[in-house]
Structure formats: C-alpha cells, structure tokens
Amino acid sequence: MTDVAIKICGISTPDALDAAIAARADFVGLVFFPPSPRHVDGHAAAALAARAGSAIGRVGLFVGADDGLIGESVRAGRLDAIQLHGEETPERVAQVKERFGLPVWKAIPVATARDVEQARPYEGVADLLLFDARTPKDAALPGGMGLSFDWSLLSAWRGKPRWGLAGGLSAANVADALGRTGAPLLDTSSGVERAPGRKDPEMIRAFCKAARNA
C-alpha cells in the first residue's frame, strides 16, 4: 500500500463528494472559475462543505481571482487550502497566503524542462507546488483537459516545498505515474469523469484504489 495523498479536483455534486470520501481521498477540489464545466458558486460550495464536514480536506481552485472572490469562496466552502492555477506571481502567492492565513498551492504548467525550473521562484512562498500539463495557448481552461506531460522532466526536481502531480491521471496510468515520479500527492479531475464536469463515482473509487495499491 502506498502512502500518497490523493486529490479529486472539480467536485461539484453530492454523489461525487460522497464517492471521494468513501474512497479515502485526502482532498477534494472546488473550482471557482466560471468558464470551467466544474465551476461551483458560493451556494453550491457551502452545501458541499456542510455535507463533507471534517471528513475530507477542501481546496479551492482559482484562476487570476481577486481577493473578493477568494474571500467569499473561502468562507462559503470552508476551505482548508487555496490553489492558484493562473499566472500568479510569487509576490501574489505571498499576498494571498498572508491575506487569508491558509496554505497556498501553486500550479506550475509543464511541457519542457525549462517549465519545471519556473517553479524555483515559488520555493519558500507556496506551501505546495502542483506540476500540471501545460495547455495550448488558445485553450479556454488552464487545466482539467486530460492532458499529461513527460513525467521524466520531474526526475531532477529537488525543490523544498511539498509537491504534487496532475495532468491526465487516471486509474489506468496512476501506478506508472507514481512509480516514475514518486509524487507525494496525486491530483485528478477529467480522469474520473464520464464527460467534462460529470464525475463518475466508480471511476473515483478505481482511481483511489489504483493509487493506494501502486
């Protein structure tokens, strides 16, 4: 059994939340980004938070959001951490961390070795770095598109903050991904969906089982 943290991102319905809890995921991600098919508003986030209670950690995902949206969402979703998935600078990460007093995760889009090195300025600022596949320049979303990247690019990463792996992970490839990267945290979204934004409880269970048994 592998002691790896698991995050199921883009949770927006009670059945998906229940499945993540039952499968012993460590975190669920609530997406506060209207263009995403996984977007939840404050009302939906509050309902999911009330249903989850203390059974699972909640991470709010934001893309270039202002303090007003982050603050409202932190309160509604009773968030345990804030994930910044846009082009936020290290300075902005530090501002959000100081303003809200919560751990801040920073997504790092990766396609090349140079992209991995772009994580260096966030060391000592972000609480967790999440290496995710870089999306095409004309893409409407910064993630959650089922894309992956060359995991060998992380072989030389020895950064100080805790880190995680995202991008195209599913029950079919998560064991390979973990074996090749040793990632302390695995994050999936589209890999456990029937269609964009529609989580499949059985796929969530299968993913968590595959990750734990890797």
Side-chain angles (χ1 to χ4, degrees):
M1 299 291 286
T2 303
D3 184 18
V4 60
I6 297 172
K7 173 170 168 271
I8 308 296
C9 198
I11 294 291
S12 60
T13 62
D15 64 332
L17 174 64
D18 292 347
I21 293 171
R24 297 185 300 111
D26 300 276
F27 303 97
V28 290
L30 304 180
V31 177
F32 298 96
F33 183 55
S36 171
R38 306 165 185 95
H39 170 68
V40 293
D41 59 17
H43 178 75
L48 290 169
R51 188 179 186 91
S54 61
I56 197 165
R58 292 177 294 280
V59 181
L61 186 153
F62 302 90
V63 181
D66 60 26
D67 285 355
L69 174 60
I70 295 176
E72 292 171 4
S73 304
V74 165
R75 291 187 292 273
R78 288 186 267 166
L79 301 181
D80 298 295
I82 295 168
Q83 179 178 323
L84 301 179
H85 214 99
E87 298 181 358
E88 297 88 358
T89 64
E91 291 75 20
R92 176 57 177 157
V93 172
Q95 289 172 358
V96 171
K97 184 173 180 178
E98 181 178 2
R99 172 70 175 80
F100 298 102
L102 290 174
V104 176
W105 300 11
K106 180 66 182 81
I108 306 295
V110 177
T112 68
R114 179 178 173 82
D115 291 331
V116 176
E117 287 305 306
Q118 298 304 308
R120 298 293 178 187
Y122 295 93
E123 290 186 278
V125 181
D127 294 277
L128 182 143
L129 298 176
L130 185 65
F131 294 100
D132 196 358
R134 179 178 289 280
T135 56
K137 290 184 178 180
D138 59 350
L141 304 175
M145 299 179 66
L147 303 175
S148 60
F149 63 93
D150 180 359
W151 298 322
S152 68
L153 295 174
L154 295 177
S155 60
W157 176 253
R158 298 293 184 273
K160 294 177 182 178
R162 189 180 177 208
W163 64 280
L165 176 67
L169 296 179
S170 68
N173 66 12
V174 68
D176 183 37
L178 186 58
R180 291 173 61 184
T181 66
L185 178 140
L186 300 167
D187 187 328
T188 187
S189 184
S190 61
V192 292
E193 291 181 342
R194 295 187 299 269
R198 295 181 59 194
K199 293 289 187 289
D200 185 315
E202 182 52 42
M203 293 173 74
I204 291 174
R205 286 190 285 270
F207 180 85
C208 292
K209 181 178 179 180
R212 299 289 184 205
N213 291 337

